[in-house]
């Protein structure tokens, strides 16, 4: 149900962004053993003013680099506290299939690979995230889900790699439908 609501709100969000207002999906801190359904219920929508270029101090922003599947380097800025999934979505970064479950910890499509030094500084990983990472293609010792890692000031200039493949059940379902026809 929540996935459908967000799908309906995306066109509204793009129209509001043009008028310097945007919808913000608030990230609720969840306890380690809390299931995704409860975490989703705690999220809310609000309307906020979006800073125009030049209004936001560079001190308030953290530069994040993503290396896409095709090797393209995507660079953007993020606010401290945003999840890496929110950074990709809010800035419309061209990463195909990224964040299919929209941060509900029900898939591994926001799988990112960190360098070892950065990975060691991240907050502890939950059992639920580890379970979802077990489904990820290209899993490494420094893999995390972007929906579970929030941007911190110390991350300024970090480079993250998107794995070559993604496990997205929507693709498998589409292939199954086409083969039945």
């Amino acid at each position: 149900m929540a996935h459908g609501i967000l799908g309906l709100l995306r066109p509204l969000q793009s129209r509001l962004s043009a008028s310097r207002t945007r919808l913000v999906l608030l990230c609720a801190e969840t306890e380690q053993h809390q299931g995704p359904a409860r975490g989703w219920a705690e999220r809310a929508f609000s309307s906020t003013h979006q800073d125009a270029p030049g209004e936001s101090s560079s001190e308030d922003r953290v530069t994040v680099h993503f290396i896409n599947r095709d090797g393209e380097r995507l660079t953007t800025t993020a606010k401290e506290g945003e999840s890496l999934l929110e950074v990709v979505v809010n800035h419309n970064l061209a990463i195909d299939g990224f964040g299919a479950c929209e941060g509900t910890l029900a898939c591994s499509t926001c799988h990112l690979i960190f360098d070892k030094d950065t990975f060691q500084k991240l907050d502890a990983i939950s059992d639920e995230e580890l379970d979802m990472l077990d489904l990820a293609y290209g899993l490494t010792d420094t893999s995390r889900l972007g929906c579970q890692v929030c941007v911190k000031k110390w991350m300024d200039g970090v480079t993250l790699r998107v794995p070559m493949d993604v496990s997205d059940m929507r693709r498998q379902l589409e292939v199954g439908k086409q083969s039945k026809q």
Side-chain angles (χ1 to χ4, degrees):
M1 181 174 130
H3 180 72
I5 291 170
L6 281 178
L8 293 172
L9 289 175
R10 286 195 197 278
L12 175 61
Q13 180 182 8
S14 63
R15 280 185 246 132
L16 289 173
S17 292
S19 67
R20 295 182 44 180
T21 304
R22 67 183 173 126
L23 291 173
V24 177
L25 182 63
L26 300 176
C27 182
E29 291 280 335
T30 58
E31 292 186 17
Q32 183 173 346
H33 297 289
Q34 180 172 312
R38 183 169 172 232
W40 176 256
E42 291 179 1
R43 294 180 184 177
F45 291 96
S46 69
S47 178
T48 62
H49 177 270
Q50 183 175 358
D51 295 331
E55 281 187 20
S56 180
S57 167
S58 61
E59 295 173 10
D60 298 337
R61 308 298 282 179
V62 175
T63 300
V64 182
H65 309 282
F66 295 88
I67 306 297
N68 208 345
R69 290 179 184 94
D70 61 4
E72 178 184 12
R73 183 182 182 98
L74 307 170
T75 299
T76 191
T77 58
K79 292 181 185 176
E80 187 173 14
E82 280 184 303
S83 73
L84 292 169
L85 171 62
E86 290 172 315
V87 172
V88 170
V89 171
N90 291 343
H91 294 276
N92 295 316
L93 298 181
I95 302 175
D96 185 44
F98 198 84
C101 78
E102 298 176 348
T104 60
L105 201 52
C107 74
S108 60
T109 59
C110 64
H111 173 203
L112 293 169
I113 301 170
F114 292 77
D115 66 51
K116 188 174 182 174
D117 292 336
T118 302
F119 181 83
Q120 292 175 343
K121 294 177 187 175
L122 298 175
D123 293 335
I125 191 168
S126 70
D127 290 339
E128 291 84 0
E129 182 179 356
L130 283 171
D131 289 345
M132 286 295 106
L133 280 169
D134 283 342
L135 304 174
Y137 292 127
L139 188 64
T140 71
D141 290 340
T142 60
S143 291
R144 290 291 302 265
L145 297 180
C147 66
Q148 299 300 300
V149 177
C150 288
V151 174
K152 308 251 190 232
K153 286 280 188 194
W154 64 262
M155 292 178 164
D156 191 41
V158 70
T159 299
L160 309 167
R161 197 165 39 90
V162 178
M164 292 303 292
D165 291 315
V166 64
S167 176
D168 186 349
M169 289 302 293
R170 295 175 304 170
R171 288 184 186 168
Q172 293 173 4
L173 292 174
E174 288 173 11
V175 168
K177 286 179 186 176
Q178 290 174 358
S179 66
K180 289 180 184 179
Q181 294 176 352

